[in-house]
Amino acid sequence: MSAALRYRGRFAPSPTGPLHAGSLVAALGSWLDARAHGGDWLVRIEDVDGPRCAPGADAEILRQLAALGLAPDEPPQWQSHRGARYGQALARLQAQGDVYPCGCSRRDIALALAAQQRPHTRHAEWVYPGTCRDGLHGTPARVAWRLRCGEPGQPVVVHWQDRRLGPQRQDVTAEVGDFVLQRADGLWAYQLAVVVDDAEQGITHVVRGEDLADNTARQIHLQRRLGLPTPRHLHLPLVRDARGEKLSKQHGAPALDTSQPPEVLNPALQVLGLAPIDAPTLPEWQARAVKAWRDGWQDGRFSRPEQETT
Ligand code: GLU
């Protein structure tokens, strides 16, 4: 990281419900990393997908964070207020010829993939078969906008380095295909919103759950098309339930009781690879946790030593 660039990290919850033991790990890990680097820590409410958001969950998440002593250094931002910025980014990509309108329904995509005898599941997501690449089929009432990912013989292959997982590689063309930036119903896709916001907020370090690692190559491709810098990445271990599934609200994770902060912070610390801390006050707990986090990276316990260059 260049000396001139101040560390800026963020926690970016989707307000589909209150904070739970799983999302707390991302909140705490991103906070610890920012504090250990002497940087800023921001909170961004990722409510672009309005129908999936739970009313009041944003306020509850912010209340829980405050109760746990995780206070952002700047006022939180809401993605639902930022549609104009996403529109500007899309307009730029349109002017560059990087995106195209697509009128395919899910059924159209399934039929096209079946006709091409291509497997059509990958984490239950479909690799878009390219139907509308060279022009819309029919006259759909509404269109989505897709980002071109590669041309025949020239796939988009993204290499990136995760601070914990090590070197990563994804052939975006083969594994993802042209992905949606704006849905036909007008909703902005997570990929576009996160890239525009990380750049505008000057985020230098993305620290989030490992379940999101698979999005990183897409986001890097988009950053390159938009001329935006790529932050460093750290994907944290996930909390799993008894069936080995990622803990999430959909799988019935209970909301956190924040009345005794160390009781919920210590299990999160253990998921992050650190020993629980017994401290008389929350500020003391925090100071020790930040030191333990910094020490963990310095002695190479967390990183791939040969690659970590903080
Ligand atoms: N909003 C995303 C989530 O809650 C996280 C996005 C990110 O950290 O990049 O899963």
Side-chain angles (χ1 to χ4, degrees):
M1 193 170 106
S2 102
L5 212 55
R6 178 176 169 77
Y7 181 115
R8 283 173 63 88
R10 84 311 192 266
F11 173 52
S14 304
T16 53
L19 212 57
H20 53 74
S23 44
L24 177 61
V25 171
L28 181 62
S30 60
W31 181 89
L32 283 172
D33 202 53
R35 288 291 171 266
H37 282 85
D40 298 323
W41 184 70
L42 313 185
V43 173
R44 185 170 70 223
I45 303 292
E46 299 213 319
D47 57 347
V48 268
D49 191 348
R52 280 190 57 233
C53 296
D58 51 353
E60 177 59 8
I61 292 170
L62 296 173
R63 188 202 64 74
Q64 291 172 300
L65 290 172
L68 296 171
L70 305 176
D73 295 310
E74 291 175 13
Q77 276 204 11
W78 274 256
Q79 287 190 325
S80 54
H81 301 169
R82 295 182 37 77
R85 307 298 293 180
Y86 309 144
Q88 285 166 3
L90 182 65
R92 173 169 174 175
L93 295 166
Q94 286 167 334
Q96 290 172 184
D98 282 327
V99 290
Y100 60 88
C102 168
C104 293
S105 64
R106 288 181 72 77
R107 186 164 178 277
D108 296 333
I109 296 173
L111 290 173
L113 287 169
Q116 293 175 9
Q117 296 189 323
R118 285 166 58 185
H120 62 213
T121 51
R122 175 185 151 274
H123 305 306
E125 252 181 66
W126 295 350
V127 176
Y128 182 63
T131 317
C132 294
R133 261 190 159 225
D134 302 316
L136 274 171
H137 288 245
T139 49
R142 303 182 309 176
V143 293
W145 285 89
R146 287 185 183 273
L147 181 70
R148 283 180 191 278
C149 295
E151 299 300 333
Q154 282 184 306
V156 171
V157 179
V158 176
H159 294 261
W160 57 281
Q161 176 77 27
D162 187 89
R163 290 166 57 201
R164 183 174 75 94
L165 303 172
Q168 307 288 313
R169 172 193 186 277
Q170 187 178 60
D171 181 336
V172 182
T173 309
E175 294 179 43
V176 180
D178 299 343
F179 56 92
V180 170
L181 300 184
Q182 187 180 29
R183 289 173 15 178
D185 59 10
L187 288 184
W188 297 104
Y190 156 65
Q191 309 294 354
L192 182 66
V194 81
V195 159
V196 169
D197 287 348
D198 280 343
E200 205 159 301
Q201 295 186 289
I203 299 302
T204 57
H205 289 68
V206 167
V207 179
R208 58 186 176 191
E210 195 177 320
D211 55 320
L212 293 163
D214 183 64
N215 294 283
T216 308
R218 263 172 277 186
Q219 292 168 8
I220 292 173
H221 176 52
L222 196 44
Q223 282 153 356
R224 291 177 180 162
R225 298 315 307 162
L226 286 168
L228 300 174
T230 290
R232 297 202 65 194
H233 290 95
L234 167 58
H235 288 91
L236 302 170
L238 300 181
V239 181
R240 299 193 183 273
D241 64 16
R243 289 166 301 165
E245 303 241 19
K246 177 201 154 196
L247 199 68
S248 68
K249 196 186 64 84
Q250 289 90 324
H251 292 117
L256 286 177
D257 173 2
T258 52
S259 59
Q260 301 292 329
E263 283 181 21
V264 290
L265 290 170
N266 273 329
L269 203 58
Q270 287 177 284
V271 174
L272 292 170
L274 294 173
I277 294 170
D278 183 17
T281 63
L282 184 54
E284 180 63 27
W285 187 96
Q286 292 183 325
R288 289 196 210 165
V290 170
K291 181 174 184 315
W293 180 262
R294 196 184 289 122
D295 290 349
W297 286 98
Q298 272 168 8
D299 67 23
R301 235 179 318 149
F302 297 153
S303 56
R304 310 255 158 161
E306 71 278 19
Q307 273 117 19
E308 174 66 5
T309 51
T310 316

